[in-house]
Amino acid sequence: MKLNDLKANKGAKKSRKRVGRGIAAGQGKTAGRGTKGQGARAGGGKGLYHQGGNLPFYRSLPFKRGFTPPNRVFYNEVNLDQLSSFKAGSDVSPETLEKARLLRNTNNPVVVLGRGEVKKALNLRVHRITDGARKKIEAAGGTIEVIN
């Protein structure tokens, strides 16, 4: 086999469409542009921003204010006063909070907020905790472990 023997596979190479070359070519007369109108003319066709009479997107941008962050994390919020049902020295984790029916969505991480008081020493394993809640739990003799 030599280089001049190499050929592309059948159907791999397609010849270009020659429009406007008579009826035998299959694309004669109007050359696939239909009859008359904006699309049949040279340089015709709608502009890039044309939206059929609607307000074009670039003109509506000043009205589309605000921003929704795509990677926003929604937390299950648990306050300290909700932890009063747990016994002293017990472990408080997303699993135990789920059993106590304190979580809205079990797929979301847990954050402990500082509303209320803690009178028992609790061992917390949560994803996030506020500074005020941390001080109150440590003052009551509890421990905190932040999980990822």
Side-chain angles (χ1 to χ4, degrees), residues 1-10 12-13:
M1 177 176 261
K2 297 184 179 123
L3 284 175
N4 64 322
D5 293 333
L6 292 176
K7 282 196 173 97
N9 293 334
K10 191 168 179 70
K13 286 198 167 281

Side-chain angles (χ1 to χ4, degrees), residues 25-41:
Q27 291 290 333
K29 194 174 172 271
T30 54
R33 287 171 170 260
T35 53
K36 300 185 190 173
Q38 192 176 18
R41 313 278 189 246

Side-chain angles (χ1 to χ4, degrees), residues 43-87:
K46 297 174 186 67
L48 187 61
Y49 300 112
H50 187 267
Q51 289 193 339
N54 290 342
L55 189 67
F57 178 71
Y58 74 99
R59 280 189 55 204
S60 68
L61 282 177
F63 305 107
K64 295 184 184 299
R65 293 285 183 231
F67 172 72
T68 304
N71 301 323
R72 183 176 174 188
V73 178
F74 291 94
Y75 284 92
N76 284 305
E77 297 175 354
V78 178
N79 276 290
L80 294 178
D81 55 8
Q82 294 174 284
L83 301 179
S84 60
S85 61
F86 290 95
K87 294 187 175 110

